[in-house]
Amino acid sequence: QVQLVESGGGLVQAGGSLRLSCAASGRAFSTYAMGWFRQGPGKERDFVAGISWSGYSTSYGDSVKGRFTISRDKAKNLLYLQMNTLKPEDTAVYYCAASSTGYSSNLGMYDYWGEGTQVTVSS
């Protein structure tokens, strides 16, 4: 069992930066691949970034490549998403998720989800 709690969201101007954190409970956290997803108003939940259990392999959605960086600290049971050069279209609720089978852009591959944190980017 893994419980996930996101934090770090807020209101930021376009061009600014935010760092999201996801705190995980459960001894098995280090064995799970992790992902960040987001859901904007009236939109589907989309893949943002994923990271392997080891932390050595990552993947990003096309819209955030070069601007966002996913990382993890297994010793502290933390997952991060560094978001730079934010745009109004990045406005969404951001969710972290844990997968026992590997990171993927497919929501169905994830076993556990957090409640989300709101990110709002003003123009």
Side-chain angles (χ1 to χ4, degrees), residues 3 6 15 23 27-28 30 41 54-56 58-59 63 75 79 85-86 88 97 103 112 121:
Q3 293 182 325
E6 302 93 338
R27 292 178 296 175
S30 63
S54 67
Y56 291 127
T58 60
S59 178
S63 62
L79 175 73
T85 319
L86 283 161
Y103 67 82
Y112 302 101
V121 184

Side-chain angles (χ1 to χ4, degrees), residues 5 12 17 29 32 54-55 58 60-61 72 75 83 88-89 97 102 109:
V5 179
V12 64
S17 298
F29 170 72
Y32 284 81
S54 67
T58 60
Y60 296 91
R72 69 189 298 168
M83 305 186 295
E89 51 264 43
M109 297 296 290

Side-chain angles (χ1 to χ4, degrees), residues 16-21 36 48-49 60 64 66-71 79-86 94:
S17 298
L18 279 176
R19 188 176 79 159
L20 304 183
S21 298
W36 285 101
V48 174
Y60 296 91
V64 306
R67 299 189 298 124
F68 290 11
T69 303
I70 188 172
S71 62
L79 175 73
Y80 301 106
L81 184 68
Q82 178 66 44
M83 305 186 295
N84 298 328
T85 319
L86 283 161
Y94 283 71

Side-chain angles (χ1 to χ4, degrees), residues 1-118:
Q1 187 80 10
V2 176
Q3 293 182 325
L4 305 171
V5 179
E6 302 93 338
S7 63
L11 175 63
V12 64
Q13 288 189 330
S17 298
L18 279 176
R19 188 176 79 159
L20 304 183
S21 298
C22 173
S25 63
R27 292 178 296 175
F29 170 72
S30 63
T31 67
Y32 284 81
M34 300 295 295
W36 285 101
F37 289 78
R38 67 186 182 185
Q39 188 165 16
K43 297 182 180 179
E44 295 183 347
R45 192 170 297 190
D46 291 332
F47 175 74
V48 174
I51 189 166
S52 62
W53 68 269
S54 67
Y56 291 127
S57 180
T58 60
S59 178
Y60 296 91
D62 288 341
S63 62
V64 306
K65 283 180 181 176
R67 299 189 298 124
F68 290 11
T69 303
I70 188 172
S71 62
R72 69 189 298 168
D73 185 334
K74 291 197 291 182
K76 296 182 179 179
N77 279 10
L78 287 170
L79 175 73
Y80 301 106
L81 184 68
Q82 178 66 44
M83 305 186 295
N84 298 328
T85 319
L86 283 161
K87 305 175 181 179
E89 51 264 43
D90 294 319
T91 295
V93 177
Y94 283 71
Y95 300 89
C96 66
S99 170
S100 59
T101 56
Y103 67 82
S104 168
S105 60
N106 184 346
L107 279 72
M109 297 296 290
Y110 291 82
D111 306 288
Y112 302 101
W113 292 84
E115 295 294 318
T117 185
Q118 175 71 47

